[in-house]
Amino acid sequence: RINGVKDLAGFFFEPYEVTFTTGQLQNQQTSLDDVSFVKQGVVASGARYTSLVIGPEGKLYGLTITGYIHRWTINTDGSLGGRLIISTLPNQYGERAAVGLVFDPSSTPTNLIAYVSQCSMELNNAPAWDGKLSRLQGDNLQTEDLLITNLPRSIRDHLVNSLAFQ
């Protein structure tokens, strides 16, 4: 027990400790003086992206905090082109605080299936149980099925969490 701390159901937290050893340092250089990045140009701007993922057809998808999905073709030189704005969630619910975007492992280039976690846009005094999980399908992810409602979220700035398949 950790100093009598309980969860909302009244159960005590159990202590958990992990110890590990790292391997030997292969390169003895410890300074970051020679590390740098070269800006190659603007990738995307003008939106606040919460998730980026490459779809099964090889296009880049960016989920914005307001629920819009931007999709680009990735050119052979790595640049992006042909941005498409997908507004399925804002058209259905208005602007939403969307955080998680993931493609179903069974999704294919001709059968797109994506999931988005979302909740209300409030960042102060937000409803505690207004999170949702939506499945989007179609060539432009235009068909939405609401799978789960009433997911928990914080009263303040913590939203419904991101998504991952294991």
Side-chain angles (χ1 to χ4, degrees), residues 10-29:
F11 295 100
F12 287 100
F13 281 85
E14 294 294 327
Y16 182 75
E17 184 176 317
V18 175
T19 303
F20 64 92
T21 303
T22 60
Q24 294 295 322
L25 184 62
Q26 298 297 318
N27 180 348
Q28 297 301 317
Q29 180 181 0

Side-chain angles (χ1 to χ4, degrees), residues 8 96 118-120 126-132 148-155 160:
L8 292 175
R96 301 287 288 168
Q118 50 159 317
C119 59
S120 63
W129 298 93
D130 80 333
K132 297 180 180 351
I148 301 174
T149 60
N150 302 324
L151 289 170
R153 55 111 8 124
S154 169
I155 195 169
V160 177

Side-chain angles (χ1 to χ4, degrees):
R1 295 183 181 176
I2 302 176
N3 298 328
V5 177
K6 295 181 182 180
D7 65 14
L8 292 175
F11 295 100
F12 287 100
F13 281 85
E14 294 294 327
Y16 182 75
E17 184 176 317
V18 175
T19 303
F20 64 92
T21 303
T22 60
Q24 294 295 322
L25 184 62
Q26 298 297 318
N27 180 348
Q28 297 301 317
Q29 180 181 0
T30 57
S31 170
L32 295 178
D33 290 340
D34 296 327
V35 175
S36 66
F37 296 92
V38 176
K39 184 176 180 179
Q40 295 296 319
V42 175
V43 175
S45 61
R48 298 180 313 180
Y49 296 102
T50 56
S51 288
L52 294 171
V53 64
I54 296 178
E57 80 286 42
K59 294 183 179 181
L60 177 65
Y61 289 77
L63 176 66
T64 70
I65 187 69
T66 55
Y68 291 90
I69 299 172
H70 297 180
R71 178 174 71 192
W72 297 269
T73 300
I74 302 173
N75 299 318
T76 55
D77 67 355
S79 64
L80 302 177
R83 181 178 75 164
L84 172 72
I85 298 175
I86 299 168
S87 57
T88 305
L89 293 176
N91 288 347
Q92 179 71 22
Y93 302 104
E95 287 190 346
R96 301 287 288 168
V99 176
L101 171 65
V102 66
F103 278 90
D104 190 303
S106 68
S107 186
T108 67
T110 58
N111 183 30
L112 298 177
I113 306 167
Y115 297 89
V116 177
S117 60
Q118 50 159 317
C119 59
S120 63
M121 282 296 291
E122 289 87 7
L123 295 181
N124 198 6
N125 294 320
W129 298 93
D130 80 333
K132 297 180 180 351
L133 177 66
S134 295
R135 178 178 53 216
L136 305 178
Q137 297 180 83
D139 294 342
N140 294 316
L141 301 176
Q142 71 274 11
T143 303
E144 188 245 2
D145 294 309
L146 187 58
L147 300 179
I148 301 174
T149 60
N150 302 324
L151 289 170
R153 55 111 8 124
S154 169
I155 195 169
R156 289 194 43 93
D157 53 358
H158 291 282
L159 309 172
V160 177
N161 285 333
S162 196
L163 303 167
F165 280 96
Q166 295 292 333

